[in-house]
Amino acid sequence: MYRQMEFSHELIMPNQGLPFKVFLFEGGEGNYVRDKHWHRSVELFAVYEGTLKFYLNEEAYPLRTGEFMLVNSNEIHSIDSPEPNRTIVLQIPLKTFEDYYTGEQFIRFTHASLPQDEQVMELIRDIYGAYEDQACGYEMKVKGLYYMLLYLLVTEYRETDVTSDMVKWHKNLNRLSLITDYIKENYASDLSLEALAGIFGYSPTYLSRMFQKYAGINYKSFLQNIRVERAFRELANTEHTISETAMNNGFPNSKALSKAFQKKYGILPSEYRKNQSRKKGL
């Protein structure tokens, strides 16, 4: 099993021609763990076959067939998918709900089960089905179903009784997300804590505390995590050597990459590359 460790901020890009993103969960084959991360979009995981286990702020939410999880913007979450499943993921940009904010760029939806849950599951299934088929006029059908889903979310699932602490936590994670966006664009360069703090006008000590308090990880580990994730993708999708991959992703040499890679995924880069080759029949 290859594990995605630590926290990471995830960028969400909509499907082409649509105001949201819909896709099948990448852990559908099972034996998969997606560790703690967050994003500014609202996310729904709808399980149509099998099971998943969600963790929101350390609290477990097991999902069975016919159930979904609604993840709020900037809500730190992780997913355990030990068995095969068919799960549709729908990601909605936070700006979609700007007319319904209950605080500065803040809206919160309940995790409680409601009578409308079955209708939500049907809408997500139909959205994905229409998008996958892409028959004539599918964009209009998909958007119509999508706006019906949004209507249910803001009328039935939105929480209006929110605390100032919730809004403050969300605001601070938004600030940190701007920084992690920058890191994701510049991770291969020599990006020290001091340099990053200077770019965003913070002291290194304050920035370090931000990472520890709101992301639960120190800056050095966060940057290392980004680099090894990118190296993992490069090894999976290119023919670059391990040394080339190391240099392309901010590691001083292949030995440093191998050490970080094995710590994170439990396997050496060379072993992972061999396994990939076997799967492709090479």
Side-chain angles (χ1 to χ4, degrees):
M1 184 196 309
Y2 305 116
R3 295 177 58 89
Q4 300 230 7
M5 304 298 290
E6 310 296 357
F7 287 13
S8 64
H9 170 251
E10 183 178 22
L11 295 172
I12 304 301
M13 298 297 292
N15 293 100
Q16 186 173 0
L18 296 176
F20 64 97
K21 184 174 183 179
V22 63
F23 55 94
L24 286 179
F25 176 49
E26 61 186 341
E29 294 182 2
N31 245 9
Y32 178 90
V33 173
R34 178 72 165 102
D35 276 318
K36 296 174 182 176
H37 62 288
W38 80 95
H39 39 72
R40 280 173 282 181
S41 296
V42 173
E43 189 171 50
L44 292 100
F45 278 75
V47 180
Y48 293 90
E49 296 175 13
T51 61
L52 285 181
K53 182 173 284 188
F54 248 82
Y55 294 90
L56 296 173
N57 301 317
E58 307 301 333
E59 187 173 351
Y61 291 84
L63 295 183
R64 297 172 295 181
T65 299
E67 296 180 335
F68 70 90
M69 174 54 62
L70 201 163
V71 183
N72 288 297
S73 172
N74 285 337
E75 191 163 42
I76 296 173
H77 56 286
S78 61
I79 310 160
D80 186 6
S81 174
E83 303 296 334
N85 63 87
R86 185 174 185 274
T87 301
I88 296 173
V89 184
L90 196 147
Q91 295 168 330
I92 306 170
L94 181 61
K95 186 175 174 63
T96 304
F97 302 104
E98 62 184 345
D99 291 337
Y100 300 92
Y101 289 158
T102 49
E104 184 181 344
Q105 294 186 26
F106 182 79
I107 186 170
R108 182 177 176 84
F109 298 99
T110 182
H111 299 129
S113 180
L114 297 178
Q116 292 79 17
D117 286 0
E118 187 174 344
Q119 188 177 358
V120 169
M121 291 293 294
E122 290 176 359
L123 284 168
I124 296 174
R125 180 197 62 206
D126 292 346
I127 286 169
Y128 182 77
Y131 176 75
E132 188 177 38
D133 292 342
Q134 299 204 359
C136 179
Y138 83 92
E139 300 98 335
M140 290 183 283
K141 181 178 181 179
V142 167
K143 289 177 183 178
L145 294 166
Y146 171 66
Y147 285 112
M148 185 62 208
L149 176 63
L150 295 182
Y151 170 75
L152 284 179
L153 294 182
V154 299
T155 58
E156 303 294 342
Y157 291 84
R158 182 169 65 110
E159 294 183 340
T160 55
D161 186 17
V162 298
T163 67
S164 58
D165 285 343
M166 290 179 185
V167 176
K168 182 180 178 181
W169 186 271
H170 176 87
K171 184 177 180 180
N172 281 313
L173 266 175
N174 260 343
R175 292 164 62 201
L176 189 58
S177 291
L178 295 174
I179 298 170
T180 56
D181 286 353
Y182 183 87
I183 295 170
K184 286 176 180 288
E185 293 292 329
N186 298 277
Y187 64 91
S189 62
D190 183 13
L191 198 59
S192 68
L193 176 65
E194 289 73 20
L196 188 66
I199 290 169
F200 286 92
Y202 298 121
S203 72
T205 300
Y206 181 79
L207 184 57
S208 177
R209 287 174 180 168
M210 279 184 70
F211 269 92
Q212 197 65 55
K213 181 175 181 178
Y214 295 105
I217 185 174
N218 64 55
Y219 170 70
K220 184 177 180 181
S221 296
F222 182 89
L223 178 60
Q224 181 88 326
N225 187 50
I226 297 297
R227 286 172 170 170
V228 75
E229 283 183 359
R230 295 299 189 271
F232 180 94
R233 295 177 188 176
E234 187 168 326
L235 288 171
N237 299 304
T238 74
E239 298 300 321
H240 297 167
T241 66
I242 294 172
S243 293
E244 289 171 338
T245 301
M247 297 303 293
N248 290 341
N249 292 281
F251 291 95
N253 50 54
S254 59
K255 183 177 179 180
L257 169 59
S258 294
K259 182 179 179 180
F261 197 96
Q262 185 171 37
K263 180 180 179 181
K264 182 177 178 66
Y265 298 109
I267 188 172
L268 289 170
S270 56
E271 294 172 314
Y272 173 69
R273 175 60 65 75
K274 287 178 184 177
N275 290 343
Q276 290 294 103
S277 296
R278 289 194 204 101
K279 289 179 181 178
K280 296 175 182 178
L282 299 177

